[in-house]
C-alpha cells in the first residue's frame, strides 16, 4: 500500500516536471525532487529524459554532487564512459574526498580495464571510510583484472581483516588461491578465522569451498554442515552442500540441499536447474524435465536448463524430442563443446547423418585436442561403409594428436575395413608400441572369430618379439 502511494507520488512529480519543461506550469523543485525524477526515468529506461532532468537540476543546484553522480551513471548506460569520468571529476572538484565519488570513478576506470588508475582511486577512498572491506574487495578485483593474483590475494586478506563475513571477498580469495596453486596452504588461513570465531558461518562455508575445489568432498560436506548448524537459513551453504553431495553421487542428499535452498531463497533458474540435474541422476526423468522447464520459464536464456531437458529426453532415447532442446542450448551457448557433442550424438541416433556430420565437424573445430571427438566423427563414415572418409577424419585427428594410440588403433581398424591389410599391420604395430593394452578395442570392431584369431596371432608375435 505504501509502495503504491510512493509510485503515485513519483508519477505526479514527473508530470509536474514535464509540465514545467513545456512552460505550462511553474514549479520549484527541491534537490531531492530532482533525484526522484531522475531515478524514475532511469527505472523506466528513459535515459535521454533522465539526462535532461540532470541538466535542469544542475542549472539550479550547480554544486550537487548527488546529481552529478547520477548524470555519470546515465552516461555509462549511454556507453560514454569517458564523459562519465569527466562528470565525476567535476563533482570531485566540489568534494575531493567524497569516498562514493572516488569509488564511482575507480569503478569507471575498471570498466575501461584501466586497472592502475582504478586502484589509485580506491586507495584514496580508503582513507575516508570506516568500512574498508568493500573498497579492498574492489582493489582485489582490479588486481585480478591485471592478472596480478598475488596482489589480489593481499587485498582480499586485508578486506577479511576488516570483515570476515564478506562472502564475496572469501569467494574471490578462494578463486585466486586456486589459480596460484595455494589452495591447500589456505586451509590453515581459514582455520585461523575459525579459531578466532568458531561460530563464523562464512569461515566454515569458505573452508567448504576450498575443500570442494581440492576434491575433498567429505571435508567440504562437513564444513558446509557446520555453517548450516550455525545459521540454519544459510542458503548458499545448502546449495554448495548439494553440489558436494552431487560430486559424491549422493543424489537424494543433493536434492535435499537444493530444496532447502529453494525454501529459503525462493524460485531461481539456477536452483531449479540443479534440482533437475539431481532428479536426472536419480533417473526420475519426468521430474527432471519438470524442474528444468521451471528454470527455463524463469530465464529463457538459461542454456543449462534447455540442455538438461535435451539430455533427459536423450537418456530415454527420445531422440527426436531431445534434438529441439539440445539445439536451443547450443544456439544460446555455441562455444560449449558439451552441448555440441550431445546434439551430434542425438542427430546420429535419429539417423540424421548429414546433421550429425556437420555437428561433429564443428565440434572438432571447437575442441581439436579431444581424440574421442575425431573417433566419433569418423565412426559415422565407417558405419556407412565409407572407409575413405573415415580414414581422412582419423588422419585429421592424428595431425592434431599424433601420438594418441586410440586414434592409431582406429586407423588400423579402418584400414582393415578398406582391405589395406599391409598398411593396417604397420599401423597396428605402431599402436602396440604406444599402448599395448589398447589393442582390446580391435575385438569390439571385429566380432568374427577367424578375424579375431588372425589379429590375436599378430599381437602375440609382437608381444613375444618385445618381451
Amino acid at each position: 500500500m505504501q509502495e503504491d502511494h510512493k509510485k503515485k507520488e513519483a508519477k505526479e512529480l514527473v508530470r509536474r516536471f514535464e509540465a514545467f519543461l513545456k512552460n505550462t506550469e511553474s514549479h520549484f523543485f527541491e534537490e531531492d525532487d530532482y533525484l526522484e525524477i531522475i531515478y524514475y526515468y532511469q527505472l523506466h529506461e528513459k535515459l535521454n529524459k533522465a539526462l535532461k532532468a540532470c541538466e535542469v537540476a544542475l542549472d539550479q543546484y550547480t554544486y550537487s554532487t548527488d546529481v552529478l553522480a547520477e548524470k555519470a551513471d546515465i552516461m555509462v548506460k549511454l556507453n560514454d564512459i569517458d564523459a562519465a569520468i569527466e562528470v565525476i571529476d567535476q563533482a570531485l572538484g566540489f568534494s575531493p574526498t567524497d569516498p562514493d565519488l572516488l569509488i564511482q570513478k575507480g569503478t569507471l576506470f575498471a570498466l575501461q580495464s584501466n586497472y592502475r588508475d582504478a586502484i589509485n582511486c580506491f586507495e584514496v577512498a580508503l582513507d575516508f571510510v570506516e568500512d574498508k572491506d568493500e573498497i579492498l574487495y574492489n582493489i582485489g578485483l582490479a588486481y585480478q583484472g591485471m592478472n596480478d593474483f598475488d596482489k589480489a590475494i593481499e587485498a582480499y586478506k586485508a578486506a577479511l581483516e576488516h570483515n570476515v563475513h564478506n562472502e564475496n571477498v572469501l569467494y574471490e580469495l578462494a578463486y585466486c588461491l586456486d589459480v596460484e596453486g595455494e589452495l591447500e596452504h589456505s586451509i590453515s588461513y581459514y582455520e585461523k578465522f575459525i579459531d578466532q570465531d568458531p561460530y563464523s558461518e562464512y569461515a566454515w562455508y569458505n573452508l567448504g569451498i576450498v575443500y570442494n575445489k581440492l576434491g575433498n568432498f567429505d571435508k567440504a560436506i562437513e564444513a558446509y554442515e557446520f555453517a548450516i548448524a550455525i545459521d540454519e537459513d544459510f542458503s548458499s551453504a545448502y546449495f554448495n552442500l548439494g553440489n558436494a553431495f552431487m560430486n559424491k553421487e549422493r543424489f537424494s542428499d543433493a536434492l535435499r540441499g537444493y530444496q532447502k535452498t529453494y525454501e529459503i531463497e525462493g524460485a531461481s533458474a539456477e536452483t531449479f536447474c540443479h534440482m533437475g540435474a539431481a532428479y536426472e541422476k536419480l533417473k526420475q526423468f519426468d521430474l527432471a524435465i519438470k524442474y528444468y522447464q521451471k528454470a527455463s520459464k524463469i530465464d529463457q536464456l538459461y542454456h543449462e536448463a534447455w540442455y538438461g531437458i535435451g539430455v533427459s529426453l536423450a537418456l530415454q532415447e527420445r531422440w527426436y524430442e531431445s534434438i529441439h532442446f539440445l539445439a536451443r542450448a547450443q544456439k544460446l551457448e555455441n562455444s560449449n563443446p558439451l552441448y555440441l557433442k550431445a546434439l551430434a550424438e542425438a542427430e546420429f541416433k535419429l539417423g540424421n547423418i548429414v546433421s550429425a556430420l556437420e555437428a561433429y565437424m564443428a565440434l572438432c573445430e571447437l575442441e581439436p585436442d579431444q581424440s574421442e571427438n575425431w573417433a566419433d566423427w569418423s565412426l559415422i563414415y565407417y558405419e556407412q561403409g565409407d572407409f575413405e572418409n573415415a580414414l581422412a577424419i582419423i588422419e585429421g585427428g592424428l595431425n592434431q594428436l599424433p601420438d594418441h594410440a586410440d586414434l592409431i588403433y582406429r586407423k588400423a581398424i579402418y584400414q582393415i575395413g578398406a582391405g589395406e591389410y599391409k598398411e593396417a599391420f604397420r599401423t597396428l604395430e605402431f599402436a602396440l608400441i604406444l599402448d599395448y593394452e589398447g589393442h582390446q578395442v580391435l575385438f569390439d570392431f571385429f566380432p568374427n572369430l577367424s578375424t579375431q584369431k588372425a589379429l590375436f596371432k599378430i599381437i602375440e608375435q609382437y608381444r613375444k618379439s618385445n618381451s
Side-chain angles (χ1 to χ4, degrees):
M1 196 75 176
Q2 188 178 2
E3 190 173 330
D4 289 340
H5 179 68
K6 283 184 178 179
K7 285 180 180 177
K8 286 180 181 177
E9 282 187 340
K11 281 186 178 179
E12 175 58 21
L13 191 58
V14 169
R15 187 203 66 76
R16 292 202 307 269
F17 174 70
E18 291 182 351
F20 166 73
L21 289 180
K22 293 176 183 176
N23 295 317
T24 58
E25 289 183 21
S26 59
H27 192 81
F28 175 82
F29 295 96
E30 299 284 351
E31 184 180 353
D32 285 344
D33 292 339
Y34 278 117
L35 291 169
E36 187 69 32
I37 292 164
I38 294 162
Y39 174 76
Y40 178 90
Y41 282 136
Q42 290 210 63
L43 187 65
H44 292 82
E45 297 183 0
K46 297 179 178 179
L47 298 180
N48 288 325
K49 287 188 174 183
L51 192 58
K52 178 65 177 176
C54 288
E55 289 165 357
V56 174
L58 288 168
D59 284 341
Q60 189 174 336
Y61 300 101
T62 307
Y63 305 107
S64 171
T65 56
D66 289 335
V67 174
L68 286 165
E70 290 296 326
K71 184 179 178 181
D73 188 45
I74 295 162
M75 299 310 297
V76 172
K77 290 174 181 174
L78 291 168
N79 296 314
D80 195 344
I81 296 176
D82 288 333
I85 291 171
E86 287 179 14
V87 173
I88 294 297
D89 281 336
Q90 185 182 346
L92 285 167
F94 304 135
S95 183
T97 61
D98 185 322
D100 291 332
L101 293 173
L102 289 164
I103 292 167
Q104 191 173 1
K105 185 177 179 182
T107 303
L108 294 176
F109 279 133
L111 284 173
Q112 293 182 316
S113 300
N114 188 351
Y115 298 116
R116 179 55 59 193
D117 285 340
I119 291 166
N120 289 339
C121 290
F122 294 139
E123 287 179 341
V124 173
L126 270 177
D127 293 331
F128 304 104
V129 293
E130 288 186 15
D131 298 327
K132 300 181 186 295
D133 58 299
E134 277 301 317
I135 299 178
L136 287 162
Y137 170 65
N138 282 312
I139 290 172
L141 288 177
Y143 277 122
Q144 259 182 258
M146 297 165 65
N147 292 322
D148 190 341
F149 296 104
D150 286 335
K151 286 283 181 66
I153 288 167
E154 285 179 23
Y156 293 139
K157 285 184 175 181
L160 291 177
E161 295 294 334
H162 293 278
N163 180 13
V164 72
H165 298 292
N166 192 316
E167 189 175 347
N168 290 329
V169 173
L170 285 161
Y171 183 83
E172 293 298 337
L173 175 59
Y175 169 77
C176 289
L177 290 166
D178 191 12
V179 170
E180 291 294 282
E182 294 291 326
L183 264 184
E184 194 118 27
H185 301 302
S186 74
I187 291 171
S188 60
Y189 179 77
Y190 287 107
E191 287 176 339
K192 181 188 78 173
F193 282 109
I194 291 168
D195 289 341
Q196 292 172 357
D197 182 4
Y199 296 99
S200 169
E201 66 271 34
Y202 290 108
W204 281 111
Y205 169 70
N206 281 276
L207 183 60
I209 288 176
V210 171
Y211 277 126
N212 197 69
K213 284 179 178 288
L214 290 169
N216 191 338
F217 304 120
D218 289 323
K219 284 284 191 180
I221 289 166
E222 184 180 287
Y224 292 137
E225 286 178 337
F226 271 117
I228 290 164
I230 296 163
D231 180 1
E232 61 183 16
D233 292 325
F234 196 167
S235 58
S236 295
Y238 282 110
F239 186 80
N240 280 278
L241 179 63
N243 290 342
F245 279 132
M246 286 290 280
N247 286 319
K248 290 288 291 181
E249 298 186 2
R250 292 169 58 180
F251 304 121
S252 295
D253 291 326
L255 185 59
R256 281 192 286 274
Y258 299 140
Q259 286 171 332
K260 191 67 179 178
T261 305
Y262 166 60
E263 288 172 20
I264 297 167
E265 288 188 349
S268 77
E270 185 178 28
T271 301
F272 280 150
C273 197
H274 279 72
M275 289 172 74
Y279 279 121
E280 179 194 312
K281 293 296 185 182
L282 289 166
K283 302 190 186 306
Q284 297 182 38
F285 298 119
D286 288 344
L287 282 170
I289 290 169
K290 174 184 174 181
Y291 279 94
Y292 285 135
Q293 287 174 329
K294 282 176 177 280
S296 68
K297 284 177 183 175
I298 292 173
D299 183 356
Q300 292 194 354
L301 300 179
Y302 203 79
H303 49 84
E304 293 94 333
W306 300 112
Y307 173 72
I309 296 171
V311 168
S312 295
L313 291 166
L315 288 168
Q316 299 173 81
E317 298 187 2
R318 293 161 64 181
W319 307 112
Y320 182 78
E321 295 166 89
S322 74
I323 283 171
H324 168 77
F325 297 100
L326 294 171
R328 188 157 186 175
Q330 196 270 327
K331 187 176 180 181
L332 288 170
E333 186 75 7
N334 59 18
S335 62
N336 191 321
L338 196 65
Y339 297 176
L340 201 51
K341 185 177 180 65
L343 180 60
E345 289 174 351
E347 295 279 17
F348 179 57
K349 291 289 186 181
L350 195 60
N352 296 338
I353 301 302
V354 173
S355 296
L357 289 171
E358 289 174 353
Y360 275 118
M361 181 187 295
L363 179 61
C364 288
E365 288 175 1
L366 184 64
E367 206 176 40
D369 59 343
Q370 295 298 310
S371 62
E372 185 182 348
N373 296 337
W374 296 96
D376 290 344
W377 183 14
S378 67
L379 184 63
I380 298 176
Y381 284 114
Y382 177 77
E383 292 194 349
Q384 302 297 307
D386 186 347
F387 304 120
E388 183 179 349
N389 272 315
L391 280 165
I393 299 301
I394 286 297
E395 289 292 357
L398 286 169
N399 286 337
Q400 298 287 333
L401 306 162
D403 295 324
H404 272 240
D406 56 335
L407 293 181
I408 299 169
Y409 276 115
R410 190 65 67 93
K411 180 179 177 179
I413 290 163
Y414 295 168
Q415 286 172 327
I416 292 170
E420 300 173 3
Y421 300 113
K422 287 184 179 179
E423 293 86 347
F425 296 152
R426 283 196 293 269
T427 302
L428 178 56
E429 186 174 13
F430 184 37
L432 289 166
I433 292 168
L434 288 174
D435 177 15
Y436 177 80
E437 297 300 328
H439 73 263
Q440 293 296 330
V441 70
L442 296 167
F443 305 119
D444 295 334
F445 278 83
F446 301 109
N448 181 279
L449 193 59
S450 60
T451 306
Q452 287 193 359
K453 284 181 177 178
L455 287 170
F456 185 74
K457 185 177 180 181
I458 295 166
I459 292 163
E460 274 296 290
Q461 284 177 346
Y462 169 83
R463 187 183 64 81
K464 289 175 180 177
S465 64
N466 287 274
S467 59

